[in-house]
Amino acid sequence: MILVTGGAGFIGANFVLDWLEQGGETVINLDALTYAGNRRNLASLAGDERHIFVHGDIGDFALVSDLLARYRPRAIVNFAAESHVDRSIHGPEDFIQTNIVGTFRMLEAVRAYWHNLQDDAKQNFRFLHVSTDEVYGSLGKDAPAFTETHRYEPNSPYSASKAASDHLVRAYHHTYGVPVLTTNCSNNYGPYHFPEKLIPLMIVNALAGKSLPVYGDGQQVRDWLYVKDHCSAIRRVLEAGKPGEIYNVGGWNEKPNIDIVHTVCALLDELCARSDNKSYREQITYVTDRPGHDRRYAIDAGKIERELGWKPAETFDSGIRKTVQWYLQNREWVADVQSGSYREWVEKNYTGRAL
Ligand code: NAD
Ligand code: TYD
């Protein structure tokens, strides 16, 4: 068995679905079901005995210890986190609690479990920590992309909390010998992406006839990877990564935000034209910038390609088309996640932001 945390969120759910589709062993899925966790993401697994869902917190030492003792997983993949930069600006506390304290408590449970494993089980055990390129900070326009040895310079409460968790994971390897692996990935996009992040927000706002809020000048650069390629990278690192090593994961797909928004509009114009036949671009509105907004992220994925032979399967063109199609075909999912607290978040983040 493997234990996955945060498997009801965007990347975690895609990972669990892909893992089981590829014939992987049973998954114990530990998720606190915060606003970002959604059991609907896993609806296709109803009745599948290879998926055991546990509603709980990674920071609950007793629960995690109990799950480890009961199921004896050979590996853990840790996705659980607070993940949205804008929310971390409005309220950093939850980020400190889950990303730092939660990771620490889980590592304590894992350390005790791993310590008592015998021979092969001890040697083969892996704790894979899923992290982000944002821990490296912001790049200048022509600076080389982030390698695994780039200095940590996190700028938001989100990235600072992820950086702290990366350091704890590293320390548990160096001090206690726990066989850890860390992946630092660039921005993901694809199915089940919560519509608070750029790409799904633009799709759902466009279709609802709402404005498409572009922060600042829209020239900030992100490096986009289709979520299923991130999942395949994690599977590969779990299979062949060297304990203690870090692997940067990215798709060599740097794009300014405004280009992303234009691409989404063009695809919607083609696949679901507005009733007045004008372009969705008409809905773009420039709004007040995010405080401390990182200008550019870019991943050098050379190490994982060279050492583990991993490469993304999708280009940005193929991945973004699949993504827009998925949102067009899953309007009920969108309506479901937009109920309740989602509306309060949109109010909080966007009201008063118009220029
Ligand atoms: P998400 O916000 O969509 O999902 C997070 C999941 O974790 C949710 O299901 C939530 O319920 C769960 N969770 C939160 N706190 C928890 C806790 N204390 N205990 C148990 N479960 C908890 O996030 P995501 O975009 O899927 O990101 C997953 C991981 O990948 C995160 O660690 C994130 O930092 C990292 N990452 C994300 C991206 C990206 O572009 N989304 C890129 C690189 C790395
Ligand atoms: P986001 O999806 O929040 O990811 P991250 O901040 O982790 O990179 O944002 C991606 C980029 O899009 C980032 O530069 C901020 C920008 N952005 C907007 O311009 N408007 C929006 O409404 C949102 C949510 C993001």
Side-chain angles (χ1 to χ4, degrees):
M1 294 199 183
I2 64 164
L3 171 64
V4 168
T5 74
F10 162 49
I11 306 174
N14 275 286
F15 179 83
V16 171
L17 292 170
D18 281 7
W19 177 269
L20 293 176
E21 199 178 291
Q22 314 247 336
E25 68 256 61
T26 297
V27 173
I28 308 137
N29 185 351
L30 173 63
D31 196 296
L33 294 178
T34 67
Y35 78 93
N38 183 356
R39 290 204 67 178
R40 249 185 121 125
N41 299 353
L42 303 158
S44 61
L45 297 178
D48 189 331
E49 285 173 1
R50 297 172 307 155
H51 179 237
I52 301 168
F53 186 81
V54 180
H55 183 193
D57 193 323
I58 57 163
D60 184 340
F61 177 84
L63 172 66
V64 176
S65 302
D66 178 59
L67 290 175
L68 294 174
R70 186 146 29 120
Y71 294 111
R72 312 203 64 73
R74 68 163 176 97
I76 299 175
V77 185
N78 183 34
F79 292 98
E82 289 292 336
S83 70
H84 187 31
V85 174
D86 292 315
R87 285 190 193 250
S88 82
I89 294 168
H90 285 279
E93 182 95 30
D94 288 347
F95 290 72
I96 306 305
Q97 205 50 46
T98 284
N99 300 0
I100 306 180
V101 180
T103 305
F104 159 68
R105 294 228 177 98
M106 191 171 48
L107 282 167
E108 278 292 274
V110 170
R111 172 162 80 94
Y113 168 71
W114 174 77
H115 184 76
N116 290 321
L117 288 175
Q118 300 296 311
D119 311 323
D120 278 2
K122 188 166 191 176
Q123 218 175 9
N124 295 333
F125 179 80
R126 297 288 182 269
F127 179 90
L128 192 154
H129 180 60
V130 180
S131 193
T132 165
D133 60 357
E134 304 193 23
V135 298
Y136 299 124
S138 185
L139 285 170
K141 195 168 168 288
D142 300 315
F146 301 128
T147 63
E148 289 77 2
T149 55
H150 196 281
R151 206 165 90 171
Y152 269 42
E153 290 179 326
N155 291 320
S156 71
Y158 164 64
S159 54
S161 66
K162 288 296 290 187
S165 68
D166 292 8
H167 292 323
L168 284 167
V169 169
R170 174 189 161 90
Y172 273 63
H173 177 69
H174 278 264
T175 304
Y176 305 114
V178 180
V180 306
L181 299 156
T182 300
T183 53
N184 291 90
C185 188
S186 60
N187 285 59
N188 285 212
Y189 66 99
Y192 305 110
H193 205 181
F194 195 77
E196 62 182 358
K197 307 273 173 74
L198 180 73
I199 289 179
L201 183 90
M202 294 299 154
I203 299 171
V204 305
N205 274 18
L207 292 172
K210 295 185 178 157
S211 68
L212 308 180
V214 174
Y215 295 165
D217 62 4
Q219 291 302 326
Q220 300 81 7
V221 171
R222 298 292 182 264
D223 187 351
W224 295 93
L225 183 70
Y226 190 61
V227 63
K228 286 176 190 300
D229 283 325
H230 187 188
C231 295
S232 74
I234 291 170
R235 287 199 303 274
R236 184 67 192 134
V237 171
L238 197 56
E239 181 178 58
K242 208 166 141 246
E245 291 288 312
I246 295 164
Y247 298 91
N248 281 358
V249 183
W252 308 100
N253 256 317
E254 285 186 61
K255 293 195 187 296
N257 292 339
I258 192 65
D259 289 11
I260 297 287
V261 179
H262 285 161
T263 303
V264 166
C265 290
L267 279 165
L268 286 173
D269 289 342
E270 177 196 325
L271 299 170
C272 186
R274 269 172 43 155
S275 52
D276 63 3
N277 270 324
K278 290 188 177 160
S279 171
Y280 287 97
R281 277 192 188 213
E282 303 256 326
Q283 290 164 233
I284 293 173
T285 322
Y286 287 89
V287 300
T288 310
D289 208 351
R290 171 188 281 174
H293 198 169
D294 284 340
R295 199 69 186 161
R296 176 176 166 239
Y297 303 140
I299 279 280
D300 180 335
K303 178 176 170 180
I304 188 170
E305 289 179 3
R306 256 188 337 269
E307 296 186 10
L308 303 183
W310 173 85
K311 264 197 189 323
E314 301 290 342
T315 62
F316 185 72
D317 285 350
S318 64
I320 192 72
R321 180 173 284 275
K322 283 185 181 175
T323 304
V324 170
Q325 281 166 337
W326 188 88
Y327 280 86
L328 288 171
Q329 286 157 7
N330 288 275
R331 306 264 189 135
E332 268 183 38
W333 181 91
V334 172
D336 185 54
V337 300
Q338 284 184 315
S339 60
S341 64
Y342 178 79
R343 287 197 208 117
E344 285 158 37
W345 163 252
V346 170
E347 281 264 317
K348 190 192 261 187
N349 195 43
Y350 295 99
T351 303
R353 205 162 187 150
L355 291 171

